[in-house]
Every structure is written in C-alpha cells, then in structure tokens.
Amino acid sequence: MSAPLVVVLDYGSGNVHSAAKAVEAAGARVELTADRERVMAADGLLVPGVGAFSAVMDALRAVRGDELIDRRLAGGRPVLGICVGMQVMFERGDEGGVVTEGLGQWPGTVTALRAPTVPHMGWNTVEAPDSSRLFEGLRDERFYFVHSYAAHEWTLDPHPAIPAPMVTWAEHGERFVAAVENGPLSATQFHPEKSGEAGLRLLTNWLGTL
C-alpha cells in the first residue's frame, strides 16, 4: 500500500516547512500547497499555525483555506490542526480584547493563559483519554508547547448518533485543551514537529487513521 498523501496547507504560516518535514518523516508523501484540487484530493490536510489568531485567520481566508477546511470536514476528510491551527477551529479568539471570528468547528473562545509565566514554552505532559488514537503508545510522553493563548473549556454537546470527541488536557497555571479528536478533525495545541520521537509517533498515529 502506498504512503498516504498529506497536503500541508501553504498559506504563509511560519512553520509550514518544519511541519511538512515532520509528516514526511512519519511516513507520508507530502505536498506544500493551497491549490484547491490538491487540498481536496489529499488523504489528509495539515493546518499549521504560528503567531496571532487574527493574522492566521486573515492568511487562511486569503487563500480560501476556511472554505477548504470546511468542505473537507463536511465530506469526512481528515484534517489536523497544529498550535494556532488548532485554536482557529474554535468560534473565536480574544487577544487583548481584540475578538476575531474563527472557523467555528467547535464552540468556545480562545483566551490568554492565566499563568505565572507566559508564554508557556517548553515540554509538558498531557492527560489523554484511554481510547485516544493520537496518543496510542504515548501515555507518559512530554510534548513541546509554545503559546500564550488556549481554549480553557470544552463545551461541545455530544450528539447521540456521533461518537463523543476525545479531549486531551494539559496544565500551565490552569488546565487547557491540549488536543482534540473529533471525527475527521484532530488538532494539537503543542507542536508535534518540535516534540522529538513522541511527536513523530503522534504524527504516525494520525497517518494510521487516514
């Protein structure tokens, strides 16, 4: 069986190349593009993101990435968001009182971390559900975080006909959402591409779901 094809969405985010290299190392064929046909045809779409929520949303909309993500998910096609690429999946982001509309795949607002040291930068453990596919074989591993904002609540109501999302938590001053597995949409607040062997295993686990 040939390796899965993953498109890393090329919309100007700073870590697209490191994300592409990491997914390739995990065993995928990788394309770095925002071409509509290639994005829709890929086995998986990876949405990286660094910097401000508002800037990422502006850049995504500039290449119609919001539409592409929505169309893939509507068709049950896998998407993985990383860092701010996870944050924009929520309804909105609030950065210093500046509220920006997100992609609205999940309810909730991304807000500032309330912690003694911000940004949260470095290695941290996570609390993953036992049935998690992303964290299979990674129960006691640490992952690399770089962020000042996070989702602090998970408020999506479960639907009786759809498996409940699996939410992974971490703590830095307070608990926050570290990862979500929600049907075809998965996301991590940490950077798998900066998390060494643990991050590579997580990406390999994701590729195994495609």
Side-chain angles (χ1 to χ4, degrees):
M1 191 172 76
S2 62
L5 173 63
V6 172
V7 162
V8 176
L9 189 61
D10 188 8
Y11 66 100
S13 179
N15 66 335
V16 288
H17 293 287
S18 58
K21 287 180 181 177
V23 176
E24 192 170 46
R29 294 174 294 132
V30 178
E31 288 186 25
L32 185 57
T33 183
D35 178 79
R36 183 183 186 86
E37 290 187 6
R38 300 306 298 160
V39 168
M40 295 308 298
D43 298 306
L45 174 66
L46 191 149
V47 183
V50 295
F53 188 108
S54 57
V56 168
M57 281 304 305
D58 286 345
L60 274 174
R61 290 196 176 102
V63 298
R64 302 181 76 172
D66 51 340
E67 296 177 27
L68 295 173
I69 292 166
D70 196 55
R71 285 183 64 86
R72 278 191 63 93
L73 293 173
R77 307 282 285 160
V79 174
L80 175 66
I82 291 175
C83 196
V84 186
M86 167 178 160
Q87 295 178 4
V88 296
M89 299 299 172
F90 288 88
E91 285 177 316
R92 64 191 73 84
D94 183 346
E95 296 175 315
V98 177
V99 178
T100 303
E101 184 181 347
L103 297 176
Q105 298 295 334
W106 301 319
T109 302
V110 172
T111 57
L113 282 170
R114 296 179 292 270
T117 305
V118 176
H120 173 211
M121 183 180 299
W123 298 85
N124 205 344
T125 56
V126 301
E127 305 165 28
D130 290 340
S131 54
S132 168
R133 290 287 303 277
L134 279 184
F135 292 92
E136 187 175 347
L138 294 169
R139 293 293 167 219
D140 300 314
E141 296 291 343
R142 297 161 74 88
F143 298 89
Y144 193 80
F145 291 82
V146 184
H147 64 119
S148 300
Y149 296 85
H152 300 96
E153 298 179 321
W154 181 259
T155 59
L156 181 66
D157 291 330
H159 190 286
I162 301 172
M166 286 179 282
V167 181
T168 293
W169 298 85
E171 188 164 329
H172 180 71
E174 59 186 337
R175 277 165 60 85
F176 63 88
V177 177
V180 179
E181 297 160 76
N182 180 205
L185 178 56
S186 298
T188 65
Q189 176 61 68
F190 56 83
H191 287 274
E193 78 280 10
K194 297 179 180 179
S195 296
E197 288 298 321
L200 190 64
R201 172 65 186 268
L202 182 137
L203 291 172
T204 302
N205 286 346
W206 179 63
L207 294 179
T209 70
L210 303 184

